[in-house]
Amino acid sequence: MTSKKTNKIQISWNDPAFRAIVYQIAVLGIVAYVAWYLVTNTMHNLSVRNITTGFDFLDREAGFAIGESSIAYSPADTYKRAILVGIVNTLQVSALGIVLSTLLGTIIGVARLSMNWLVGRLATVYVEVIRNVPLLIQLFFWYVLITENLPGPRQALRPVEGVFLSNRGLKFPALQGDSLSWILYGLLLAALCTFVFYYRSRRHQEKTGKTFPVLSTGLLMLLVFPFIGYFLGGASLALEYPELRGFNFTGGLSISPELSALLAGLVIYTSAFVAEIVRSGIQSIGSGQWEAASSIGLGKARVLRLVILPQALRVMIPPLTSTYLNLTKNSSLAVAIGYPDIVSVVNTTLNQTGQAIEGVLIIMAAYLTVSLSISVFMNWYNRHIALVER
């Protein structure tokens, strides 16, 4: 018979396990003491200066305007509403930046591997120049380019009918009417149904080998559901064109110079990093995959789309996650060009209320929540596409 060996911790400095426990308790005690000292010292200094603490100020009237808001807001609203506007603006520019930088970066990353000498060199120059110029400098460049070099509203450029480009931003026609919200709900429902249908069809294909026309079905739902929403909303929909009245345009939708500059800077800067991730991901796939796919008659474009990129995603997802997080946090530079993101709104709030600690905590909590949400989604997707060992 074999005796079972038990590892018991001996209360002796010669026992490594005992020493490890002592070291951990000591480090934990030091961290707790430092935290206690910082909190008590901060509370004492606030008390000496008669500065109240807490988040009660959020329910007071803000009293300041916000130049750009995707949701309804007026100076008579509370600080809570103003901060919500800042969060929505940050989410808006981050989401658009992630989507656009991914598309542009993928194109440039593939172009870097092009057999065409000129295309490959131009993509390389783009990546090397953009990555090595600070983002803040690029934001200033785009903001000055838009506000100083574009003409005023009366001399606005008109690239196509109904679209105006001036130093006041980009103005373009917009849909208006009671059916608009129903159409948006239809689009959202169609996108969710397409995702569920794609997921279930993949599961079915893995079990039976049979495929479903996911693309055509998804496109059909994207057409039918908004069409149904149009009639549910009373078939009330019209296209409103921007018009020049006085010194600015009215009607339609507009993208401000601040949002345009911020979005251009974030997308162009981040796409250079995405391009390198895409290039390295493609190069991580062995040349035998190209040769095997080409041997069955697939063209290079289809080989890249159907064979190479799906495999390269397993390499690309982890660094893409970090890149998306960096884009979200880099959006805080919006305060430098006047875009009212969460940092800008909270800065105005704490200047009026003096609640600096609470304001900084709100900013930290907002970015932490968004970053963790992106990380959770990307980690889920990474596990979803990972190879399953049998």
Side-chain angles (χ1 to χ4, degrees):
M1 294 179 65
T2 59
S3 60
K4 185 180 292 184
K5 186 178 180 180
T6 59
N7 296 325
K8 293 184 178 180
I9 299 176
Q10 299 179 0
I11 305 177
S12 172
W13 195 253
N14 295 325
D15 186 0
F18 176 75
R19 291 200 306 270
I21 293 175
V22 172
Y23 290 148
Q24 292 178 56
I25 293 175
V27 171
L28 184 61
I30 293 173
V31 172
Y33 173 77
V34 171
W36 171 83
Y37 174 78
L38 291 175
V39 171
T40 55
N41 187 57
T42 301
M43 297 302 294
H44 173 71
N45 290 333
L46 291 174
S47 177
V48 169
R49 292 165 176 78
N50 294 322
I51 299 177
T52 58
T53 58
F55 294 92
D56 295 337
F57 71 95
L58 292 176
D59 294 322
R60 300 207 302 261
E61 181 179 318
F64 64 89
I66 297 179
E68 188 166 350
S69 173
S70 300
I71 60 177
Y73 172 81
S74 71
D77 289 327
T78 62
Y79 285 112
K80 187 185 301 182
R81 182 72 175 183
I83 292 173
L84 178 62
V85 170
I87 293 175
V88 171
N89 286 347
T90 297
L91 293 175
Q92 172 183 275
V93 73
S94 298
L96 288 173
I98 288 173
V99 173
L100 295 177
S101 62
T102 301
L103 295 175
L104 181 59
T106 301
I107 295 173
I108 296 172
V110 173
R112 284 207 67 183
L113 301 173
S114 175
M115 300 300 293
N116 185 296
W117 183 88
L118 180 60
V119 172
R121 293 301 179 274
L122 287 176
T124 300
V125 170
Y126 176 92
V127 170
E128 296 301 328
V129 171
I130 296 300
R131 289 178 67 189
N132 290 286
V133 176
L135 176 58
L136 185 59
I137 302 300
Q138 295 189 38
L139 292 179
F140 285 142
F141 170 79
W142 290 110
Y143 184 69
V144 171
L145 183 67
I146 293 173
T147 58
E148 299 296 335
N149 293 291
L150 288 178
R154 293 185 179 277
Q155 294 80 30
L157 303 177
R158 187 181 297 182
V160 295
E161 185 64 29
V163 177
F164 300 91
L165 184 61
S166 69
N167 57 11
R168 300 292 180 89
L170 178 65
K171 313 289 181 180
F172 51 91
L175 292 173
Q176 301 289 340
D178 297 334
S179 297
L180 182 59
S181 58
W182 286 92
I183 292 175
L184 294 177
Y185 294 147
L187 286 173
L188 179 60
L189 180 61
L192 292 175
C193 292
T194 301
F195 176 78
V196 173
F197 183 70
Y198 169 76
Y199 181 78
R200 294 182 64 87
S201 66
R202 283 197 59 181
R203 293 280 183 166
H204 184 76
Q205 183 180 3
E206 292 173 357
K207 292 180 179 179
T208 65
K210 297 181 180 179
T211 60
F212 287 103
V214 178
L215 180 60
S216 58
T217 304
L219 291 175
L220 181 62
M221 287 191 290
L222 288 173
L223 291 175
V224 172
F225 286 6
F227 188 70
I228 295 175
Y230 169 75
F231 287 101
L232 289 177
S236 173
L237 195 67
L239 190 63
E240 182 184 55
Y241 286 87
E243 297 179 358
L244 180 64
R245 292 183 180 177
F247 298 101
N248 205 350
F249 292 95
T250 59
L253 284 180
S254 64
I255 300 178
S256 67
E258 292 79 15
L259 176 58
S260 302
L262 178 62
L263 198 57
L266 288 175
V267 169
I268 292 174
Y269 181 76
T270 307
S271 65
F273 292 88
V274 173
E276 284 296 272
I277 295 171
V278 172
R279 179 191 60 80
S280 61
I282 293 175
Q283 288 183 326
S284 69
I285 307 301
S287 58
Q289 296 290 321
W290 289 91
E291 296 169 358
S294 299
S295 67
I296 61 175
L298 293 178
K300 288 186 176 180
R302 297 191 68 187
V303 172
L304 181 65
R305 181 171 61 88
L306 300 176
V307 179
I308 303 301
L309 283 180
Q311 297 182 71
L313 272 177
R314 300 185 180 99
V315 179
M316 292 159 49
I317 291 300
L320 276 178
T321 302
S322 298
T323 303
Y324 294 159
L325 294 177
N326 287 335
L327 184 147
T328 303
K329 290 179 285 190
N330 286 337
S331 67
S332 61
L333 294 174
V335 67
I337 57 175
Y339 180 73
D341 71 327
I342 179 64
V343 176
S344 176
V345 173
V346 172
N347 278 343
T348 305
T349 299
L350 64 88
N351 286 332
Q352 290 187 355
T353 62
Q355 309 290 144
I357 295 178
E358 291 83 355
V360 173
L361 288 176
I362 290 173
I363 295 175
M364 292 171 60
Y367 280 107
L368 179 63
T369 302
V370 174
S371 297
L372 289 179
S373 300
I374 295 174
S375 297
V376 168
F377 173 78
M378 295 298 288
N379 288 332
W380 169 83
Y381 185 68
N382 190 35
R383 291 192 301 271
H384 179 69
I385 65 173
L387 290 174
V388 180
E389 297 183 0
R390 299 181 183 275

